[in-house]
């Protein structure tokens, strides 16, 4: 496979992964049953909260591995690489970091021996999807302004 | 009730009353999990606890505004208990505790077992863990609570609770201020183990009102130890210690729980007594993978880097 088609494939797979995470994340809200999605033959699973919760965990594992693999490769370039990141890119990186951190905190919270106060729990629960929405808006804005992660 | 009659966690414990274990006040102030033990051989089914719960928690009960906003799609049902507030033979938003009765024969003897039923306050509660909105959560003292200011009444907590404990009332809460026709459907209610009383050092109303001292409250390890002692002494059976990965409500009965489960009336608002595996077990196992993924990703990037460098070096040598 040529380098270019490899990059396109990788981008498509990444987008698919993000979409699946969005979907299973949205499935945490009790809306797929209310709005008939779960009634479509073959879609009953969309209202199974436990199933979607576990799928979200599995997809998050793959995404985290992917992101950190890319990050590791990027960091190998040292200072040189970091200097090429655009201000818009930095903004997106910080939003991603927030999503990842709140997601990991939520996973920790779901462990039996780890305890977070009700206020912290609520903060995490609101920030995680809130940042996803902001990331979505940032991505749209990026498309509109033709801004990417990198300068130039 | 006069202050002198109100029972305080430490006062009772000091007086050596059986309903509160001596270390309860200390444990509560240190944020240790408290649990309750229910000795079912003592319960006479008088309902004093049910009444006390209703009276004490009446100020938390829903006061829905009518008419309710129209909800879409039309199949979304209204859950209205406001005209049936007196119902006390099942769980409702206005009845967080009720008495289940089982008439059974066990080893040739007849028994009438009365079982006070309410939320069990699970140690790793799926209702709280899966609440997408942060409305349900567990406190340090083991109380699992649904915040009525935040809850949207989507009833996911009820769906994922192995006993389907929380009950919904339409026409109250935050959803009214958001998109009442399109999202949410009220607020979910259940036993909050009298969190406000416990915070003041008082014991839950149902424990205090019981003339037979059926319930005991105390630090979880001590309650579990006591439950085992009681079960051993009386040849009894335990429910709630291991259910759903562990709860803070431990029942001890002279009759096995599978027999009770067959004899009780079950259905909406009337929970079963069958064995419950840990609802969060799969998440608990998968957590390690999620947490290890970033480290594994970084390590893989470094390793491929190293192998690339060494391949390049090898290439240099070969040339
Ligand atoms: S019994 Fe149900 S409602 Fe109560 S803490 Fe456990 S899961 Fe939540
Ligand atoms: S602990 Fe409090 S809220 Fe729960 S059943 Fe007893 S009286 Fe009711
Ligand atoms: S008050 Fe005590 S004896 Fe009466 S029903 Fe409640 S637990 Fe049973």
């Amino acid at each position: 496979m040529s380098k270019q088609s490899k990059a396109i494939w990788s981008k498509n797979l990444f987008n698919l992964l993000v979409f699946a995470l969005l979907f299973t994340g949205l499935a945490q809200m009790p809306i797929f049953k209310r709005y008939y999605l779960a009634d479509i033959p073959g879609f009953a699973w969309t209202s199974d909260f436990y199933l979607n919760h576990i799928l979200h965990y599995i997809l998050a594992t793959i995404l985290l591995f992917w992101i950190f693999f890319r990050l590791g490769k990027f960091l190998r370039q040292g200072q040189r690489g970091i200097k090429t990141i655009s201000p818009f890119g930095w903004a997106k990186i910080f939003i991603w970091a927030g999503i990842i951190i709140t997601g990991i905190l939520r996973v920790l919270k779901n462990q039996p021996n780890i305890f977070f106060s009700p206020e912290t729990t609520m903060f995490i629960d609101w920030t995680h999807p809130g940042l996803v929405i902001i990331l979505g808006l940032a991505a749209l804005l990026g498309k509109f302004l033709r801004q990417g992660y990198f300068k130039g | 009730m006069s202050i002198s009659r109100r029972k305080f966690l430490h006062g009772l414990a000091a007086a050596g009353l059986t309903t509160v274990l001596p270390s309860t006040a200390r444990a509560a102030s240190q944020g240790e999990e408290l649990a309750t033990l229910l000795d079912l051989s003592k319960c006479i089914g008088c309902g004093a606890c049910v009444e006390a719960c209703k009276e004490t928690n009446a100020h938390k009960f829903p006061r829905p505004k009518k008419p309710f906003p129209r909800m879409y799609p039309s199949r979304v049902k209204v859950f209205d208990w406001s005209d049936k507030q007196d119902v006390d033979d099942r769980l409702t938003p206005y009845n967080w505790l009720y008495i289940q009765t089982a008439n059974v024969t066990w080893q040739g003897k007849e028994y009438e077992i009365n079982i006070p039923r309410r939320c069990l306050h699970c140690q790793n509660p799926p209702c709280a863990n899966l609440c997408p909105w942060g409305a349900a959560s567990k406190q340090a003292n083991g109380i699992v609570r649904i915040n009525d200011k935040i809850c949207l009444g989507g009833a996911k907590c009820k769906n994922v609770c192995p006993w389907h404990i929380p009950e919904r009332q339409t026409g109250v809460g935050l959803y009214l201020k958001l998109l009442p026709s399109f999202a949410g459907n009220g607020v979910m209610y259940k036993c909050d183990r009298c969190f406000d009383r416990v915070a003041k050092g008082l014991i839950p109303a149902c424990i205090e009102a019981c003339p037979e001292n059926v319930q005991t409250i105390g630090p979880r390890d001590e309650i579990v130890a006591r439950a085992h002692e009681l079960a051993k002494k009386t040849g009894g059976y335990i429910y709630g210690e291991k259910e759903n990965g562990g709860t803070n409500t431990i029942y001890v009965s002279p009759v096995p729980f599978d027999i009770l489960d067959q004899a009780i009336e079950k259905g909406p608002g009337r929970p079963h007594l069958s064995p419950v595996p840990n609802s969060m077990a799969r998440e608990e196992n998968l957590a390690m993978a999620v947490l290890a993924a970033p480290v594994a990703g970084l390590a893989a990037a470094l390793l491929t880097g190293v192998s690339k460098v060494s391949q390049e070096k090898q290439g240099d040598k070969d040339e």
Side-chain angles (χ1 to χ4, degrees), chain B residues 90-153:
Chain B
R90 56 161 287 171
L91 300 174
T92 80
Y94 299 88
N95 199 57
W96 301 350
L97 166 68
Y98 84 106
I99 309 297
Q100 237 171 8
T101 304
N103 289 300
V104 287
T105 311
W106 167 243
Q107 293 180 331
K109 249 176 92 185
E110 282 187 17
Y111 290 88
E112 185 194 271
I113 305 285
N114 297 296
I115 314 144
R117 294 307 299 273
R118 54 161 167 77
C119 164
L120 288 90
H121 300 276
C122 301
Q123 289 192 285
N124 196 18
C127 59
N129 287 337
L130 271 74
C131 173
W133 197 232
S137 46
K138 181 182 156 185
Q139 296 181 184
N141 59 10
I143 293 178
V144 180
R145 244 177 90 195
I146 300 172
N147 186 335
D148 60 347
K149 307 253 171 344
I150 303 296
C151 175
L152 297 177

Side-chain angles (χ1 to χ4, degrees), chain B residues 38 42-50 97 99 114-116 206-207 209-215:
Chain B
L38 290 96
K42 289 199 209 157
C43 179
I44 54 170
C46 67
C49 52
V50 178
L97 166 68
I99 309 297
N114 297 296
I115 314 144
C206 56
I207 303 184
C210 177
E212 303 294 325
N213 292 335
V214 167
Q215 298 196 58

Side-chain angles (χ1 to χ4, degrees), chain B residues 119-122 125-128 144 157 160-166 190 244:
Chain B
C119 164
L120 288 90
H121 300 276
C122 301
C127 59
V144 180
C157 51
V160 299
C161 165
W163 296 276
H164 309 302
I165 297 282
K190 69 170 192 71
N244 203 19

Side-chain angles (χ1 to χ4, degrees), chain A residues 33 35 39 50 53 76 126, chain B residues 75 133 160 182 283 301:
Chain A
K33 177 109 200 112
Y35 289 107
D39 292 349
Y50 280 112
H53 200 227
R76 281 211 324 258
W126 287 28
Chain B
R75 71 154 157 197
W133 197 232
V160 299
F182 301 102
E283 280 86 343

